[in-house]
Amino acid sequence: MQREPRALLFDLDDTLYPLQQFLMSGFRAVAAHVHVTWGHDPSRALDLLIAAYGTDRGHEVDVLTDRMALPAGAAATLIGVIHTHPPAIGLSRPVLALLAALRQDWRVGVVTNGRADIQARKVEALGLRSLVDTVVLASEHGTGLGKPEPAPFLAACRALGVTPAQTVFVGDDLRCDIAGAHAVGMKTIWLPAVIKARPDPAQALADLILPSLDGVPTAAGQLLESRWSSHVA
């Protein structure tokens, strides 16, 4: 008897690869731009950005422009550099092996939040379109706000020819990934960077909690085959 189709959907940033890779790639592009445009030492610029990432996250470019006394408007220019640069990022060998193995038995997709142009450059740099069956840029569906809206999840199901009940979603964000996928009827696997001492209410919506991608194939199969729900540390 032929098995009914089943799908595994993954979030992208901090699920299939560490988002910090993209940030560091952007910082290197900014340092190079500062050198070419204003003649500043790129090593010092990169050091300032990395230091600010540790102490003033989200304002790294502001710190750089202040410390290097860059001209008015430089911050906006440098943020544009981060947004438009070709990212130097890559998937790890274990992730590449995981995706290759999954496609033998699963329909595999990625649903990613963020500005569509930025996420598309990440997808291209990672070579994802040849590694999975579909990539959904969430902001191109529904109202454009992305996950946790239902539209991106359902778009992925349509592209893969499955229903939400035949699908497991894997992600790191409780609200965008886990709550969003649960709301449309998918099983969910949460990959937390850190489990907080005070649980988030959305944590209860995760059918499983796993420490890494390693256990996803077995766990996802069990979720769909036996429809059981439990949590592991």
Side-chain angles (χ1 to χ4, degrees), residues 46-146:
L46 183 59
D47 288 344
L48 286 171
L49 289 165
I50 292 173
Y53 178 74
T55 60
D56 200 6
R57 191 166 301 181
H59 300 282
E60 298 90 348
V61 168
D62 294 324
V63 170
L64 175 69
T65 57
D66 180 62
R67 293 287 298 276
M68 287 194 154
L70 298 180
T77 297
L78 296 178
I79 290 170
V81 168
I82 294 175
H83 287 169
T84 59
H85 84 287
I89 57 178
L91 298 175
S92 68
R93 288 185 180 180
V95 170
L96 290 170
L98 172 70
L99 295 176
L102 285 173
R103 290 185 80 187
Q104 298 178 31
D105 299 306
W106 294 82
R107 299 176 187 184
V108 181
V110 172
V111 183
T112 179
N113 267 4
R115 271 180 43 174
D117 58 331
I118 297 173
Q119 297 309 102
R121 278 189 284 276
K122 293 177 185 176
V123 167
E124 181 179 0
L126 295 169
L128 267 177
R129 293 197 184 275
S130 65
L131 300 173
V132 299
D133 300 302
T134 192
V135 174
V136 172
L137 305 178
S139 63
E140 294 183 337
H141 300 270
T143 69
L145 294 176

Side-chain angles (χ1 to χ4, degrees), residues 15 19 21 27 30 34 37 39 52 55 57 66 77 104 106 112 147 169 177 182 192 219 221 227:
T15 297
L19 179 59
Q21 272 190 24
F27 289 170
V30 164
V34 165
T37 305
T55 60
R57 191 166 301 181
D66 180 62
T77 297
Q104 298 178 31
W106 294 82
T112 179
K147 299 175 293 182
F169 196 95
D177 298 327
H182 174 84
R227 309 289 181 179

